[in-house]
Amino acid sequence: MTERCQGDTRPRTGPRARTAIVLAAAALLAATSVAFLPGTASAGTTLGASAAEKGRYFGTAVAASRLSDGNYTTILNREFNSVTPENEMKIDATEPQQGRFSYGAAEQIVNHARSRGMSVRGHTLAWHSQQPSWMESMSGSALRSAMLNHVTQVATHFRGQVVAWDVVNEAFEDGTSGARRNSNLQRTGNDWIEAAFRAARAADPGAKLCYNDYNTDNWTHAKTQAVYNMVRDFKSRGVPIDCVGFQSHFNNDSPYVSNYRTTLSSFAALGVDVQVTELDIQGAPAATYRSVVEDCLAVARCNGVTVWGIRDSDSWRASQTPLLFNSSGQKKAAYDAVLAALNNGTTPTDPPTTPPTTPPTTPPSGSCTATLQDSTRWGDRFNSQVTVSGASNWTVVVAVTPPQKVSNTWNGTPTWDSSGNVMTMRSNGSGNVFGFTTMANGTWTRPVVRSCTAS
Ligand code: G3I
């Protein structure tokens, strides 16, 4: 959670800047206060609103061609607070001829989403599939340059509008080999994936950068382990990766497995966010949909779930009826199960890299107990309140998830680590309850109390 990759050029907020932000935020707080996240209806009654209550998003793939369908957009606008263009940001759509970029359909989706307060996942910058014919026939250094130029151009074009990019999609083989997929991109050199991530970071320093794949749900599978090893290697070498997307296209040949939660939490423990990016389940069994959502909610760094389409008739696998709405747009049993899971789910309090522990009722000498609670939420930020027991002179360490930034604090004296993401708050005689405001920057993960020390 505190890790920051080498080469990470995202803007940081230093103490002086923070003071200015404090004043600006205070003015903003007074001026604008909305009931809940934009893009959601009343909390607890729609997928997006319920997910937002848990600090997550609930998204869907969207096809630009369907935005003129009133039944489709009614459900989209009511239920979802995140959108992924299904095909419109792929390489063949955005660069149909080399050096000639075409963003119309993607912009239609981005504008629809952002004007309604929904966030956008970008999909996808580098992939062996859906390449335009000019790229399919390229190889070697010419292809490497063309791929990097594509990443740079597209990520730059949408800079500030996309909260997370699937930078690289589906780069590993299926089966037991654990090998990279033998594609024209792979043949440009094994470092093509990290080169794509570095180019994306340079182009849009504010976006989360994800690796996205399918058949990586079962923790014991060779492909899952191969991707895990790549992410671990990237983190150890400072390659700028922030998240891993699990497509999670479940069907009878590739079913949901009970170790899915282990998979999500194991990747999260590497210091990346995890996201369920393309969920659909053959036959839409309510219990399985519910399990997937519960698994995400159980992992602090699981940011949200995206289903791969709205109605069954919108699905790439329509005959499997794998989605939450039937072809008439009516809610299916799976919808009710997902909504119930979102409403019952707990907000994560566990530090992502350590197992959850039960706070001691009587703190041992030298320590204390700090309990974090959610407070007010606005469209772009939220307040948290921390109650300390067991000491009157205390030091509490709290971490937020990048790109979140703390913009304001009260009833304590804060200092910061070099990343700006870890705050050490010391008592200043104002009592045993302190608070702070976190600018979400698209990420609604709850801050985590790391430690409480009596002094
Ligand atoms: O738009 C044309 C239409 O004009 C034409 O008449 C028709 C005839 O084939 O094709 C239409 O384009 C199709 C496009 O979907 C839009 O419907 C393409 O043929 C078809 O190949 C394309 O399929 C997409 C598929 O990716 C391509 O790989 C699916 O919609 C899309 O859901 C699917 O999404 C992928 C993710 O990107 C990555 N993970 C797997 C997932 C499912 O395959």
Side-chain angles (χ1 to χ4, degrees):
M1 197 144 163
T2 60
E3 290 171 68
R4 219 181 157 92
C5 304
Q6 291 166 17
D8 182 343
T9 55
R10 284 175 293 179
R12 296 177 181 180
T13 310
R16 280 199 199 96
R18 201 171 290 115
T19 306
I21 291 171
V22 165
L23 297 172
L28 216 66
L29 277 167
T32 59
S33 171
V34 296
F36 210 71
L37 284 176
T40 58
S42 53
T45 59
T46 67
L47 303 173
S50 295
E53 283 192 320
K54 299 296 182 296
R56 322 301 176 105
Y57 62 80
F58 204 96
T60 181
V62 164
S65 60
R66 297 186 199 277
L67 288 175
S68 54
D69 175 340
N71 179 264
Y72 180 87
T73 52
T74 296
I75 304 170
L76 168 63
N77 299 347
R78 184 186 71 220
E79 296 288 345
F80 297 96
N81 60 357
S82 169
V83 153
T84 305
E86 186 175 0
N87 289 297
E88 294 78 356
M89 283 184 171
K90 292 174 179 174
I91 313 171
D92 59 353
T94 50
E95 195 177 356
Q97 295 172 286
Q98 188 171 15
R100 296 197 170 197
F101 291 86
S102 166
Y103 297 118
E107 283 173 345
Q108 207 187 331
I109 296 174
V110 169
N111 293 340
H112 183 100
R114 284 172 50 79
S115 66
R116 290 164 178 80
M118 306 168 187
S119 58
V120 177
R121 293 193 80 263
H123 173 82
T124 175
L125 294 170
W127 192 20
H128 70 277
S129 181
Q130 283 183 271
Q131 292 181 359
S133 52
W134 64 264
M135 185 180 272
E136 278 178 330
S137 60
M138 283 182 115
S139 62
S141 58
L143 174 59
R144 173 67 70 96
S145 300
M147 180 273 287
L148 292 177
N149 182 56
H150 180 84
V151 170
T152 299
Q153 296 296 329
V154 178
T156 299
H157 182 83
F158 289 106
R159 180 165 51 204
Q161 302 182 65
V162 168
V163 295
W165 269 110
D166 292 331
V167 177
V168 171
N169 199 39
E170 302 176 359
F172 282 80
E173 293 282 5
D174 291 315
T176 58
S177 72
R180 293 281 185 89
R181 181 189 295 275
N182 182 9
S183 69
N184 61 347
L185 291 168
Q186 180 63 28
R187 289 190 293 276
T188 68
N190 205 49
D191 62 343
W192 76 274
I193 297 179
E194 60 196 82
F197 274 86
R198 292 186 202 283
R201 176 69 93 225
D204 186 354
K208 285 188 190 180
L209 306 182
C210 303
Y211 176 78
N212 190 52
D213 213 330
Y214 66 93
N215 281 352
T216 49
D217 316 291
N218 189 326
W219 178 238
T220 66
H221 279 180
K223 186 172 176 181
T224 309
Q225 292 297 312
V227 174
Y228 177 84
N229 288 334
M230 178 188 74
V231 175
R232 185 170 57 184
D233 171 54
F234 280 10
K235 293 298 288 183
S236 74
R237 292 191 294 111
V239 177
I241 184 169
D242 305 306
C243 40
V244 175
F246 297 83
Q247 294 186 8
S248 304
H249 294 293
F250 293 121
N251 55 55
N252 297 342
D253 298 324
S254 178
Y256 168 82
V257 281
S258 59
N259 67 26
Y260 185 63
R261 189 179 299 192
T262 301
T263 302
L264 297 181
S265 61
S266 300
F267 275 83
L270 292 175
V272 289
D273 289 346
V274 293
Q275 305 179 347
V276 181
T277 52
E278 303 183 15
L279 180 64
D280 47 24
I281 311 176
Q282 183 169 13
T288 314
Y289 260 107
R290 181 176 191 125
S291 295
V292 171
V293 172
E294 287 175 344
D295 289 342
C296 178
L297 291 174
V299 177
R301 293 194 75 150
C302 184
N303 305 146
V305 174
T306 297
V307 287
W308 205 239
I310 297 177
R311 305 162 301 192
D312 285 331
S313 50
D314 303 319
S315 170
W316 69 301
R317 286 177 165 168
S319 64
Q320 294 187 2
T321 60
L323 295 175
L324 300 178
F325 296 86
N326 69 19
S327 297
S328 307
Q330 286 160 339
K331 296 170 183 173
K332 295 163 62 175
Y335 172 94
D336 297 329
V338 166
L339 188 63
L342 290 169
N343 286 333
N344 291 340
T346 54
T347 310
T349 54
D350 50 316
T353 54
T354 52
T357 52
T358 310
T361 33
T362 310
S365 169
S367 75
C368 44
T369 303
T371 307
L372 185 143
Q373 290 177 300
D374 300 331
S375 175
T376 315
R377 184 189 288 255
W378 294 269
D380 58 350
R381 62 197 180 282
F382 58 93
N383 285 353
S384 305
Q385 178 173 294
V386 178
T387 305
V388 181
S389 60
S392 52
N393 288 322
W394 40 261
T395 302
V396 176
V397 177
V398 178
V400 299
T401 304
Q404 292 175 341
K405 289 290 172 202
V406 173
S407 62
N408 191 16
T409 71
W410 52 95
N411 294 347
T413 303
T415 55
W416 305 85
D417 79 338
S418 59
S419 74
N421 302 122
V422 180
M423 174 176 73
T424 299
M425 183 70 95
R426 292 186 173 79
S427 53
N428 66 357
S430 302
N432 275 14
V433 179
F434 71 88
F436 58 98
T437 302
T438 304
M439 301 305 297
N441 294 325
T443 296
W444 296 90
T445 307
R446 198 189 212 190
V448 172
V449 172
R450 289 254 175 100
S451 65
C452 185
T453 313
S455 45

